[in-house]
Amino acid sequence: MAGDFILEMRSITKEFPGVKALDNVAFQVRRGEIHCLVGENGAGKSTLMKILSGVYPVGTFEGEIILNGQPQQFRSIGDSTLCGIAIIYQELAVFPELTIYENIFVGNEITEGMVIDWNETIVRAAEVMRRVGLNMDPATKVKHLSVGQRQLVEIAKALSKDVQLLILDEPTAALNDDDSENLLNLLRDLKEQGVTSIMISHKLKEVLAIADTITVLRDGKVIKSMDAREQKITEQDIIRYMVGREIENIYPARKSSPSKEVVFELRNWSVVDRETRREILHKVNLKVHKGEIVGIAGLMGAGRTELAMSLFGNVPGYEITEGEMLVKGRPMRFRHPYDAIENGVAYATEDRKGKGLILIQDVKFNISIAGLKRLVRGLVVNENEEIAVANRFKEAFDIRTPSVQTLVGTLSGGNQQKTAVVKWLYTEPDLLILDEPTRGIDVGAKFEIYTLMNQLVEQGMSIIMISSELLEVLGMSDRIYVMAEGTITGELPAEEATEETVMAMATRTREVPVR
Amino acid sequence: MKTQKANASVSRAQQPPQAQQSLGAEVAALLRENIREYAMYIALVVIFITFTIATQGLFVSPRNLVNLVNQTGYVAVLAIGMTLILIIRHIDLSVGFVAGFTGAVAALLLMNGWNVWLVIPIVLLCGIVIGIYQGFLVTVIGVPAFVTTLAGMFIFRGLLSWVTAGTGTIIVRDRTFLQFSNGYIPDLPWGASLSFHLLTMLIGLVLVAFMVATQVRARRSLQRYNFKTTSPVVFGAQLVFASALILGGTWIMATYRGLPWTAVIVACVLAIYHFLLTKTRFGRHIYAIGGNPEAAELSGIKVRRVTFLVFCSMSLLASLAGILYTSRLASATPTAGLGFELDAIASSYIGGVSVSGGIGRVTNTIVGALVIMSLTNGMNLLGVDISFQYMIKGLIFVIAVAFDIITGSRR
């Protein structure tokens, strides 16, 4: 059994202009195993999977792909699908306005002659939905599903095509801990049913929990492939292989402690959806002291991003029905992010590519855009000063870019994230709200973001950190609020908080409604 | 999907300042990186050569070149406004008939004996009011710009035929008004004895000096920060080429009757909008919105306000184009403005405005307008049937956009 490989990729080399993304990579997957692929951003994981799934067609890379002992030449994704390979991306490709069953069979319709056999479609959809544990009406529109449920739809879609090799690119990045756990269990079930999985993940705990084999990539090379069933592997081992160095402490120590001065306060902050009148936030109370990092923990859909957006003044479709906001003791309500910025509040979004950065512009443009007012002399933006400012931030926070004139879209995830945070520093905020500041970036870059946060609070800034990674909240915060169903369900000083206590508060709710 | 391609090269080590490379390699690289910009100049040169040969030199006669400038005027003005609209990912289909209608208003008022210096501000104000109406629909109500301006196209076409219904074509006789698109700047008293127009030549020289000065300053600033610059040879060649172009153009004007007023008006509009886009906060906001509207909003940019202002500016420029066009024809006709929107949009795209927004420069748009109008002018000289003219223009337009998408996808 040990030698039975479902997939062998041999001496794969892929070059992009100026970069060798993969360098003579050998990658083998045993039949029926769960194989985890880890590595820093830019290590080549996604590139390798794109070669396997035919996104990069034969001829654009060197090396061979051998599936079930047969050499394969994939010219498109269609070719690899026919061979039983399915890839599920981090950004899901579902059609929100279609039903679950339509989504499952889109592109693979069951037809009788020229007509779609909807009855058969629904029956078969219900079958695969059962296999993935999605207990819902197949006729539900996908827009009503949570992110986790949508992912199940994608997996069901893969199963409907008799998938042999399932590739998941960071499947749990957008999931809360519960949904992640469900997904991992599902992968285990599928393994029992003979489906082989390759999972790319940054979450090492998960990797250790589920992997039969772990392969670590670094700089386009395979550094280590480990059999997790035979030897005991620790997180530290993996991190060492990933970064080539030991990271002693993931959360850097801070030299300062928060003062007693309250810089920001919310009282009974309540928000409803303007159309449906559904309550989104219910009487939220919170305080932030000067020089403090306040963590907001909670599960997906707890209302954390909505809280940040509503106080920052970006409230499309929301209505603040009740409550008070005090910024440095003065009552305020922001009608537009502009007002928030003017009053020293900044918000770095969770979606850095979609809502945070202007990818087609350069680093200096992105750094200066929120605080552009400071650069204006008369009518004119002072471009020399802009470059000086951008360079200063680049140096101070070690944004790795050839120059501040480089387009942000070409930077690595971690450096993009740093740019997305640093742009707010130029507005000199008193309160910086960071929404999932380390999502989708590698361990090394995370450490640098944490260091940056510490630098800021040491200078007297206050930070609200919204994060779905419990350990990060525990490791970085001075104080933790836990949210569930649009309200604060608990407040804990960092010393008293544990994963268990926080999770208990985060789940202190009624049954999670299906929206 | 994540793009992880360039990570390795970008995140590692600082790039060394400008390594020495051969001249040929540099020119090739320049061509590759700026293919879209150069394609437009190449197209212009090809059009000029083709028509010059086909018309046995008539196309490049001073008389026709001045004619071309006057013809390009109203399209250039429209295209400048359109560039802003397209950068922020909107569209304005109504500009043609807004120009037609406001031009007719001008003609009507002049016919009734109003003073020209009163008529012009009124007509421009008309344009602003139209802009407020369309901007309101787009930004406050949220009607898509495509719908708003398609409706506008009908409304203003209707208004145009309504105001011209009683009179038919309205003839304009006001001499001052006719100067805008048919007249030339006066010469200095000392130039009377010369065989050329002195003031025009002086303006040309000042322009060259100004261009060289700004280019040199920009280059110095790039060097100061160790940014990528072209080699001295290439930089010099670019300066010489541009200077020759400007001086050649002014010489032709100067030996004919001097600089047309249209050129002066377009140059002023161009200068103002170039300044707005490249130097001011408002310009930054426009590019930010075009690059990513949501990120712009969250960066404190009042996206709706900027959008509103851009629509106002568009209709204001449309009314200016209306004035130029009416002046050029010395009349307002019931079909004035037909198809202008296509010329304006095509000029912008040929000038390198990105179809997906966020990228574009008004200086290049002007060249785009010149491409479109030399095509029109040349085909008219050759007596090409109007039906073929439409087909050719449509094809050129769609090829320009396809070209943008093909080269853009490689970026």
Side-chain angles (χ1 to χ4, degrees):
Chain A
M1 190 69 189
D4 181 18
F5 293 120
I6 184 170
L7 170 77
E8 279 186 80
M9 296 177 82
R10 288 184 190 155
S11 43
I12 304 281
T13 298
K14 166 87 186 167
E15 288 185 51
F16 293 111
V19 200
K20 213 169 214 181
L22 291 174
D23 186 6
N24 200 16
V25 165
F27 181 60
Q28 295 161 327
V29 180
R30 286 196 197 88
R31 188 176 307 284
E33 71 168 348
I34 297 178
H35 195 126
C36 285
L37 199 50
V38 294
E40 286 194 285
N41 282 337
K45 304 167 305 235
S46 294
T47 310
L48 188 65
M49 290 305 106
K50 281 178 185 169
I51 285 174
L52 176 56
S53 59
V55 174
Y56 297 133
V58 66
T60 61
F61 60 90
E62 292 161 35
E64 320 177 68
I65 302 173
I66 293 153
L67 194 67
N68 292 317
Q70 301 285 323
Q72 300 287 348
Q73 305 214 312
F74 298 137
R75 281 179 303 271
S76 67
I77 303 178
D79 286 356
S80 69
T81 312
L82 283 178
C83 291
I85 296 175
I87 183 160
I88 293 168
Y89 293 106
Q90 203 175 345
E91 281 96 27
L92 299 174
V94 289
F95 302 94
E97 287 296 334
L98 297 184
T99 62
I100 297 177
Y101 67 82
E102 282 170 320
N103 264 285
I104 292 177
F105 286 97
V106 68
N108 186 30
E109 290 81 4
I110 304 167
T111 51
E112 279 228 45
M114 288 188 54
V115 213
I116 294 178
D117 185 344
W118 287 118
N119 292 332
E120 178 68 15
T121 303
I122 294 169
V123 171
R124 295 257 300 268
E127 237 166 69
V128 284
M129 283 169 67
R130 212 170 306 124
R131 273 179 78 188
V132 300
L134 190 60
N135 302 315
M136 300 183 81
D137 182 356
T140 315
K141 278 194 181 178
V142 165
K143 68 173 174 187
H144 299 301
L145 305 190
S146 70
V147 183
Q149 291 167 326
R150 288 175 194 208
Q151 207 153 39
L152 295 180
V153 171
E154 287 253 55
I155 295 172
K157 183 173 165 184
L159 292 180
S160 76
K161 294 179 199 165
D162 293 323
V163 65
Q164 294 178 30
L165 184 57
L166 185 65
I167 305 166
L168 300 117
D169 191 353
E170 291 192 48
T172 57
L175 298 190
N176 60 42
D177 289 3
D178 264 1
D179 283 350
S180 300
E181 193 53 46
N182 285 339
L183 185 81
L184 297 185
N185 284 330
L186 172 61
L187 290 185
R188 288 189 190 102
D189 289 349
L190 292 176
K191 180 173 138 186
E192 299 288 307
Q193 298 169 24
V195 177
T196 311
S197 306
I198 300 174
M199 183 171 99
I200 296 178
S201 181
H202 279 134
K203 299 189 182 172
L204 300 183
K205 274 219 157 54
E206 275 171 24
V207 169
L208 288 172
I210 196 167
D212 298 313
T213 310
I214 300 169
T215 296
V216 185
L217 277 176
R218 186 171 80 216
D219 298 335
K221 297 192 182 84
V222 170
I223 296 300
K224 187 84 180 167
S225 204
M226 297 170 279
D227 191 327
R229 286 169 300 192
E230 285 175 8
Q231 58 191 104
K232 177 83 186 121
I233 300 168
T234 64
E235 264 186 78
Q236 287 298 320
D237 293 336
I238 302 179
I239 292 173
R240 201 171 55 234
Y241 290 126
M242 280 169 70
V243 298
R245 63 181 183 270
E246 297 258 8
I247 290 186
E248 247 78 83
N249 193 348
I250 304 178
Y251 305 103
R254 203 179 312 150
K255 293 186 214 76
S256 66
S257 52
S259 76
K260 290 271 171 292
E261 184 191 342
V262 176
V263 288
F264 184 85
E265 188 174 356
L266 283 182
R267 291 181 189 152
N268 293 328
W269 191 255
S270 302
V271 171
V272 298
D273 186 309
R274 196 163 280 159
E275 260 171 46
T276 63
R277 308 309 295 178
R278 188 172 62 86
E279 196 167 48
I280 292 165
L281 295 172
H282 177 74
K283 293 189 190 296
V284 171
N285 289 288
L286 66 81
K287 262 185 204 158
V288 184
H289 299 100
K290 190 173 163 68
E292 185 179 38
I293 296 182
V294 171
I296 300 186
L299 301 174
M300 193 67 58
R304 294 166 302 165
T305 296
E306 290 81 354
L307 174 65
M309 288 280 209
S310 70
L311 67 87
F312 189 60
N314 190 270
V315 280
Y318 295 173
E319 190 180 312
I320 298 157
T321 48
E322 190 194 340
E324 244 188 313
M325 174 165 72
L326 300 168
V327 181
K328 289 199 211 158
R330 290 206 313 271
M332 278 185 193
R333 191 165 289 182
F334 304 136
R335 304 204 177 283
H336 190 276
Y338 177 85
D339 304 330
I341 295 165
E342 287 287 287
N343 287 290
V345 178
Y347 169 66
T349 164
E350 58 179 335
D351 181 4
R352 64 171 175 269
K353 284 189 179 175
K355 294 178 182 165
L357 294 170
I358 297 162
L359 298 174
I360 59 169
Q361 293 288 356
D362 58 20
V363 174
K364 63 179 159 54
F365 186 105
N366 276 281
I367 288 181
S368 67
I369 191 69
L372 203 56
K373 229 180 191 179
R374 297 167 171 277
L375 285 173
V376 176
R377 302 284 172 277
L379 275 174
V380 180
V381 175
N382 186 336
E383 287 171 73
N384 287 331
E385 197 183 324
E386 180 184 28
I387 293 167
V389 165
N391 273 326
R392 204 170 71 223
F393 281 120
K394 171 181 176 268
E395 301 297 325
F397 301 108
D398 193 25
I399 300 171
R400 264 161 272 158
T401 165
S403 88
V404 294
Q405 223 188 9
T406 306
L407 298 189
V408 164
T410 64
L411 302 189
S412 71
N415 285 305
Q416 284 186 5
Q417 182 62 25
K418 274 194 229 166
T419 310
V421 173
V422 158
K423 77 178 227 184
W424 290 110
L425 305 185
Y426 190 50
T427 69
E428 298 191 354
D430 303 309
L431 174 67
L432 175 61
I433 307 167
L434 298 173
D435 198 347
E436 306 286 0
T438 64
R439 174 179 288 173
I441 64 177
D442 60 64
V443 182
K446 276 184 186 178
F447 185 81
E448 289 173 9
I449 294 280
Y450 298 144
T451 312
L452 193 161
M453 288 169 66
N454 281 349
Q455 276 171 275
L456 297 177
V457 288
E458 277 160 21
Q459 290 161 18
M461 198 182 284
S462 309
I463 292 178
I464 294 179
M465 178 176 73
I466 298 171
S467 175
S468 293
E469 273 186 55
L470 209 40
L471 285 177
E472 172 176 285
V473 176
L474 294 173
M476 289 302 296
S477 311
D478 295 305
R479 212 148 44 83
I480 298 166
Y481 288 102
V482 186
M483 281 186 78
E485 292 202 308
T487 194
I488 304 261
T489 51
E491 180 191 345
L492 291 165
E495 312 81 68
E496 292 170 27
T498 63
E499 283 185 76
E500 288 75 24
T501 51
V502 171
M503 200 38 75
M505 288 173 174
T507 51
R508 186 185 291 167
T509 59
R510 302 179 293 272
E511 195 65 12
V512 179
V514 177
R515 268 173 276 158
Chain B
M1 258 180 271
K2 289 190 295 180
T3 48
Q4 302 197 329
K5 301 172 194 175
N7 293 1
S9 74
V10 170
S11 54
R12 311 287 176 243
Q14 288 261 355
Q15 215 179 38
Q18 231 0 87
Q20 284 294 327
Q21 53 179 355
S22 79
L23 193 62
E26 190 190 349
V27 172
L30 264 181
L31 268 175
R32 223 178 313 115
E33 281 165 31
N34 300 305
I35 180 72
R36 295 155 83 227
E37 207 168 307
Y38 291 146
M40 149 182 102
Y41 288 107
I42 293 165
L44 193 60
V45 169
V46 169
I47 289 169
F48 263 69
I49 293 174
T50 313
F51 282 131
T52 305
I53 295 169
T55 60
Q56 283 144 11
L58 189 62
F59 183 76
V60 286
S61 66
R63 200 176 106 85
N64 189 57
L65 285 182
V66 168
N67 207 5
L68 176 63
V69 168
N70 281 334
Q71 261 176 355
T72 308
Y74 65 90
V75 173
V77 168
L78 284 176
I80 287 170
M82 193 61 81
T83 299
L84 271 62
I85 295 264
L86 294 174
I87 289 176
I88 61 166
R89 304 183 178 187
H90 282 290
I91 196 156
D92 191 338
L93 299 172
S94 71
V95 293
F97 288 110
V98 170
F101 167 64
T102 49
V105 170
L108 206 64
L109 295 178
L110 290 168
M111 190 179 75
N112 288 321
W114 291 47
N115 182 293
V116 64
W117 299 114
L118 190 62
V119 169
I120 287 165
I122 289 174
V123 171
L124 295 180
L125 197 67
C126 251
I128 292 175
V129 170
I130 291 168
I132 290 172
Y133 152 73
Q134 302 205 117
F136 175 82
L137 281 178
V138 173
T139 59
V140 181
I141 310 288
V143 182
F146 178 80
V147 176
T148 302
T149 61
L150 186 64
M153 192 170 162
F154 275 79
I155 294 168
F156 299 111
R157 183 175 199 167
L159 278 169
L160 171 62
S161 47
W162 181 59
V163 294
T164 54
T167 52
T169 297
I170 308 168
I171 308 291
V172 177
R173 296 206 169 76
D174 187 289
R175 296 183 62 110
T176 317
F177 190 81
L178 294 182
Q179 285 282 307
F180 296 136
S181 275
N182 303 293
Y184 305 85
I185 58 167
D187 202 355
L188 299 168
W190 310 280
S193 58
L194 296 168
S195 64
F196 60 89
H197 199 277
L198 180 63
L199 183 57
T200 303
M201 239 16 243
L202 286 178
I203 290 175
L205 287 172
V206 169
L207 267 182
V208 168
F210 181 73
M211 183 209 59
V212 172
T214 35
Q215 289 296 320
V216 169
R217 231 180 50 198
R219 184 180 156 84
R220 279 222 191 102
S221 151
L222 284 180
Q223 280 168 336
R224 184 142 42 100
Y225 294 105
N226 257 338
F227 287 162
K228 214 174 140 196
T229 50
T230 47
S231 68
V233 182
V234 172
F235 180 68
Q238 282 173 336
L239 280 188
V240 169
F241 181 74
S243 309
L245 217 62
I246 296 176
L247 287 178
T250 37
W251 178 249
I252 291 170
M253 306 274 176
T255 50
Y256 189 58
R257 296 167 67 177
L259 198 60
W261 277 115
T262 307
V264 176
I265 294 169
V266 171
C268 289
V269 173
L270 177 65
I272 292 168
Y273 274 82
H274 182 64
F275 174 79
L276 266 182
L277 272 185
T278 57
K279 299 286 171 202
T280 68
R281 203 157 140 237
F282 184 66
R284 289 300 182 92
H285 288 179
I286 286 176
Y287 284 115
I289 293 168
N292 185 344
E294 285 185 84
E297 180 87 20
L298 282 179
S299 301
I301 296 171
K302 296 187 170 168
V303 175
R304 296 204 299 184
R305 191 159 82 181
V306 173
T307 307
F308 181 81
L309 289 173
V310 169
F311 270 92
C312 288
S313 111
M314 177 75 260
S315 296
L316 170 66
L317 290 180
S319 62
L320 177 60
I323 292 173
L324 291 177
Y325 188 70
T326 307
S327 160
R328 169 128 194 90
L329 294 191
S331 62
T333 65
T335 56
L338 184 66
F340 287 8
E341 64 284 340
L342 182 119
D343 285 338
I345 295 168
S347 301
S348 304
Y349 283 146
I350 290 171
V353 174
S354 164
V355 181
S356 41
I359 295 171
R361 284 155 62 178
V362 283
T363 42
N364 287 348
T365 294
I366 289 287
V367 182
L370 215 51
V371 169
I372 280 283
M373 291 320 280
S374 0
L375 207 64
T376 312
N377 177 294
M379 290 193 292
N380 281 338
L381 279 185
L382 288 175
V384 176
D385 189 78
I386 189 75
S387 31
F388 286 105
Q389 290 202 18
Y390 276 129
M391 289 185 246
I392 290 167
K393 265 206 227 171
L395 277 175
I396 298 268
F397 178 29
V398 89
I399 288 169
V401 174
F403 187 73
D404 168 71
I405 288 167
I406 293 165
T407 53
S409 65
R410 274 196 273 120
R411 257 176 307 157

